[in-house]
Amino acid sequence: SSELTQDPAVSVALGQTVRITCQGDSLRNSYASWYQQRPGQAPVLVIFDKNNRPSGIPDRFSGSRSGNTASLTINGAQAEDEADYYCSSRDISGDHLEVFGGGTKLTVL
Amino acid sequence: QVQLQESGPGLAKPSQTLSLTCTVSGGSISSGSYFWSWIRQPAGKGLEWIGRISYSGTTNYNPSLKSRVSISVDKSNNQFSLKLTSVTAADTAVYYCARANWGCSGGVCFSFFDYWGHGTLVTVSS
């Protein structure tokens, strides 16, 4: 099955822009979805499909894809954006199983 | 607004079977082309997809757990359930149920989990 690779940790200064990446073969034919998880809480979908945000997700969150890499960009990071971020996609082969990246811990300085 | 709620014992003994149920409210489990999924997260670690079931009963499982996992659906009660056999301490985790939405357009596919339960901690210990 496919794997998705994320950097374990990323930091950003308050108000600056940060990009969190996710690499994997499945991303050549599938869009990644992105989840924010704050401590003690369930994951929350922040980006899905090509670059869509669920209702209530600020427009400072955006997504993109190039080759085998998907990116989550936060423009003007806020203190409340400090969280773990996970990417996910569906395997391109076989039964199209779901897979998660290992997660990225975002610190807002 | 769709809501999911996990329920079941918070403690399982080693070698026994872990059983959890997810109750769906605010929408029918039989509507749409959704997949109803289980995901888990050991303390301090990342998310692991366990498996999914469609409203028609088609199942798919994570290959690493496939020999021990079964997921079933109870459409009359708008629920789906997880059974994990022969559990060990490594199965201790917060277990989430979630709804998966998916599709393909222009040769590119997408899949995402749009609704999640709050999660339930299951500890495997004697």
Side-chain angles (χ1 to χ4, degrees):
Chain A
S1 61
S2 292
E3 294 184 352
L4 297 176
T5 301
Q6 298 182 242
D7 291 329
V10 171
S11 62
V12 61
L14 184 67
Q16 296 302 302
T17 295
V18 63
R19 176 173 292 182
I20 298 170
T21 61
C22 173
Q23 286 189 304
D25 288 340
S26 63
L27 298 176
R28 295 187 184 279
N29 298 92
S30 300
Y31 291 115
S33 53
W34 290 93
Y35 305 86
Q36 177 192 70
Q37 186 180 36
R38 297 190 174 108
Q41 296 185 17
V44 173
L45 177 68
V46 293
I47 291 291
F48 65 98
D49 199 356
K50 190 173 184 178
N51 180 20
N52 293 315
R53 286 174 288 105
S55 174
I57 301 301
D59 61 6
R60 62 178 178 271
F61 289 88
S62 63
S64 61
R65 182 179 69 99
S66 178
N68 72 336
T69 301
S71 300
L72 172 70
T73 301
I74 307 174
N75 287 304
Q78 301 300 301
E80 61 264 31
D81 299 334
E82 184 163 295
D84 293 326
Y85 290 86
Y86 295 90
C87 61
S88 176
S89 78
R90 189 169 276 205
D91 198 332
I92 57 175
S93 62
D95 290 327
H96 306 289
L97 306 181
E98 312 282 355
V99 61
F100 284 98
T104 297
K105 168 65 178 173
L106 176 66
T107 300
V108 180
L109 304 172
Chain B
Q1 176 81 349
V2 174
Q3 293 184 318
L4 291 83
Q5 178 67 59
E6 306 89 352
S7 60
L11 182 65
K13 294 187 184 302
S15 80
Q16 294 191 346
T17 296
L18 177 162
S19 297
L20 296 174
T21 295
C22 182
T23 300
V24 180
S25 59
S28 172
I29 204 168
S30 300
S31 66
S33 56
Y34 303 116
F35 283 89
W36 303 93
S37 303
W38 287 98
I39 296 154
R40 71 180 183 178
Q41 185 174 36
K45 296 188 178 181
L47 300 169
E48 179 181 32
W49 180 74
I50 298 171
R52 67 184 179 219
I53 189 166
S54 69
Y55 75 94
S56 62
T58 301
T59 55
N60 298 100
Y61 302 122
N62 186 322
S64 68
L65 298 169
K66 189 173 184 177
S67 64
R68 299 194 292 129
V69 173
S70 66
I71 297 175
S72 59
V73 64
D74 179 355
K75 287 182 277 187
S76 63
N77 287 308
N78 228 31
Q79 297 175 329
F80 62 105
S81 298
L82 168 72
K83 290 190 186 299
L84 182 65
T85 63
S86 304
V87 296
T88 70
D91 296 310
T92 294
V94 174
Y95 286 75
Y96 296 99
C97 57
R99 187 181 82 170
N101 207 337
W102 68 280
C104 294
S105 176
V108 184
C109 297
F110 62 86
S111 176
F112 56 91
F113 302 97
D114 52 0
Y115 293 100
W116 295 67
H118 292 299
T120 187
L121 173 63
V122 179
T123 301
V124 179
S125 174
S126 55

